[in-house]
Each structure stands twice: as C-alpha cells, then as structure tokens.
Amino acid sequence: MRVLKDISALNSWRRNQEEMALIPTMGALHAGHMGLVSKAQQAVDTVLVSIFVNPTQFNQSSDLDSYPQDLQSDLTQLDEAGIAAVYVPDYEQLYPHGYRFKIAENELSKRFCGAHRPGHFEGVMTVVMKLLQLVRPEYVYFGEKDYQQLQLIKAMVKDFFMPTQVIACPTVRDKDGLALSSRNQRLSDAELNLAPMLYQTLIDDGDLESKKSRLQSLGFQIDYLEVYDDRLMAAVYLGDVRLIDNVPVAGKFI
Ligand code: AMP
C-alpha cells in the first residue's frame, strides 16, 4: 500500500491509475469506514482512502482537540483490506492560503446539524471540494450515517458540474443498533450502554414528541429530531459526546 504524504506523490501515483474511487475520512477507522472500503473495492479496481482531520469543520476547538486519532491502526486496517493507496495530507498542503476560500451553501447547510454547528458544512464542503479537485476520482464514497453531509456533497458536485459520481453507502451499526462512529470511543461505559437507545427510539413506533420525551427521560440532550426527505434525523448529546443518526421513515410523519 502506498502512503502518499504530499501533492506531488499523489499526482505521480494518480497519473498511473485509470478508473478509481476516493473515500475521504478523518481516520480513527472502524467497520463503518471499512464498509465504504469494501463497497468501493467491489465496484472499482483502484481505491484511494484519504485521512485528514479537517480543522475547518470543527466549530469547537475542544471537539477538534479530543477527536480520536490513530494513524498506525488506520494504515494497518487499510493495508490488510488491500487498499491501493492512502493520502495523508497536512493542513498547509490542503489550505495553502489558510482558510481564505470556502464553499458556502445557503439552504440545507443552515438546517439540522448546520443550525447547531455554525460553519461545519462550509468546512466539510470546502475540504471535499479540495480533495475532489486534487484527486479527480471517477467515484467518491460517502456514508448515509452523515445523511445531511451526503445530500450537500451530492448537490455541490452537481452544482459545480464536477465529473465525479457520488456513491452512498448504508449506515453500519453495532449489533445493538448503535451507528458506528469514531466519537463512540469517547463514551463512558454507562453512556455506551445507553447510546443504542437512540436508534431504538428512532425506529420504534410513536410520534416525534413521544420520541423526544423518551430520549430526554433516558438522559439524552436533544439538538434536533426532525424529518427531512424520507428520513427521520436526530442529533443528541450523551455527556459531551454528540451523536447523530437517521433512519428511513417511508412517509410515516410526512
Ligand atoms: P468520518 O471519518 O467520520 O469523516 O467519516 C468518513 C466517511 O465514513 C463518511 O462518508 C461517513 O459518512 C462514513 N461513515 C462513518 N461512519 C459510518 C457508518 N457507521 N456507516 C457508514 N458510513 C459511515
């Protein structure tokens, strides 16, 4: 597996590839990320994974500081999975002028997670735009776990006529239903026991108000629980860890 650390190494590797897929990640890889990896590998010969904890999408420096990182374990998992190459840039490479230019969107990015994390999606869209411009992949893979992010990236790619196809992958969950997330590592044992109740509450019967009161009585602090498209989407806090999830609702609340 090639570990590409700078743009010139990336460019010379890319010149020798034909059709390829990119999987952007922030590392601390788990089975959710590896689900994207195996789906991409089934469809495309060459898969590049990027690992970059993107500071511009963190609206709280404490969240950035405590974001889990384990590059060695990430590289081992990707090597064992048979990934062709990993791109691990640093901040100066991706932001040669600092955060001077950014991608902004005026509708969906202001709602749900965007309403609670100002600037978050600008950071996400900006770094994804940079990675797509650098790598120019035929395909880019994103998880439905981050449903709002997925919809924004799809819209951005279409709006800027980018020649990359966005592929969505279903959310990978623990057997108790908890959506896998790098942030789960920060939950205490007690919080980890409680966390699957978020998914359980989303899929159980009941209207939005009864789901909200159930979550609150269990000890979750709710940022939002709302329907968008055909999805019931939620963001909650357990202690200081923010969890998001979404499930299809097939017109139930609409
Ligand atoms: P992150 O490292 O959190 O930025 O995630 C990188 C990619 O993996 C994003 O497209 C996420 O939506 C996706 N992802 C993260 N967790 C999961 C999961 N549990 N199931 C499916 N995709 C996931």
Side-chain angles (χ1 to χ4, degrees):
M1 183 176 76
R2 292 286 310 277
V3 179
L4 309 165
K5 293 199 168 152
D6 53 52
I7 291 176
S8 60
L10 174 70
N11 285 340
S12 40
W13 175 84
R14 179 66 178 105
R15 266 195 293 278
N16 296 317
Q17 313 305 323
E18 295 189 355
E19 193 181 67
M20 60 151 306
L22 170 68
I23 306 178
T25 79
M26 296 207 299
L29 301 183
H30 49 65
H33 299 107
M34 299 316 282
L36 270 60
V37 165
S38 57
K39 198 164 174 203
Q41 285 176 321
Q42 283 161 30
V44 189
D45 280 344
T46 306
V47 179
L48 173 72
V49 173
S50 64
I51 299 177
F52 177 66
V53 182
N54 176 38
T56 65
Q57 71 188 69
F58 287 82
N59 57 316
Q60 282 180 341
S61 56
S62 57
D63 190 23
L64 173 60
D65 294 341
S66 61
Y67 198 82
Q69 294 194 50
D70 190 345
L71 183 59
Q72 206 42 59
S73 150
D74 293 345
L75 294 179
T76 305
Q77 288 183 68
L78 295 172
D79 196 19
E80 284 171 0
I83 282 291
V86 185
Y87 178 43
V88 193
D90 59 16
Y91 180 80
E92 282 69 30
Q93 240 177 86
L94 288 189
Y95 292 91
H97 300 114
Y99 196 24
R100 185 171 153 203
F101 296 96
K102 61 179 77 164
I103 302 287
E105 189 268 1
N106 298 320
E107 293 174 16
L108 179 56
S109 67
K110 306 293 180 196
R111 303 173 63 191
F112 309 112
C113 283
H116 294 271
R117 302 183 66 191
H120 168 64
F121 287 117
E122 290 184 358
V124 170
M125 290 184 293
T126 302
V127 79
V128 171
M129 172 65 87
K130 286 169 184 276
L131 289 168
L132 292 179
Q133 292 293 349
L134 276 172
V135 177
R136 300 188 175 262
E138 279 70 26
Y139 305 94
V140 66
Y141 281 69
F142 284 94
E144 286 181 351
K145 149 99 181 1
D146 301 279
Y147 190 78
Q148 188 175 5
Q149 166 177 288
L150 170 67
Q151 299 311 318
L152 283 164
I153 301 295
K154 277 187 177 168
M156 178 184 82
V157 162
K158 193 168 176 200
D159 220 72
F160 286 97
F161 312 104
M162 301 174 78
T164 297
Q165 197 179 325
V166 179
I167 311 286
C169 299
T171 302
V172 179
R173 301 177 179 281
D174 261 340
K175 54 183 179 313
D176 54 19
L178 175 63
L180 297 183
S181 162
S182 308
R183 286 193 168 84
N184 295 353
Q185 287 184 34
R186 292 178 45 218
L187 295 170
S188 68
D189 288 346
E191 289 164 346
L192 207 48
N193 279 331
L194 196 55
M197 291 309 295
L198 171 59
Y199 174 66
Q200 203 52 56
T201 307
L202 291 182
I203 60 170
D204 280 353
D205 284 343
D207 59 17
L208 294 184
E209 284 317 308
S210 67
K211 287 176 193 289
K212 278 185 192 167
S213 11
R214 177 151 181 234
L215 287 170
Q216 274 158 347
S217 65
L218 285 167
F220 291 89
Q221 192 196 314
I222 300 173
D223 259 3
Y224 64 83
L225 180 101
E226 283 182 61
V227 175
Y228 173 72
D229 271 359
D230 61 347
R231 296 273 158 162
L232 176 57
M233 309 207 302
V236 299
Y237 277 91
L238 264 185
D240 64 355
V241 182
R242 190 170 189 273
L243 303 175
I244 60 171
D245 203 346
N246 68 87
V247 296
V249 286
K252 243 184 189 174
F253 301 95
I254 303 166

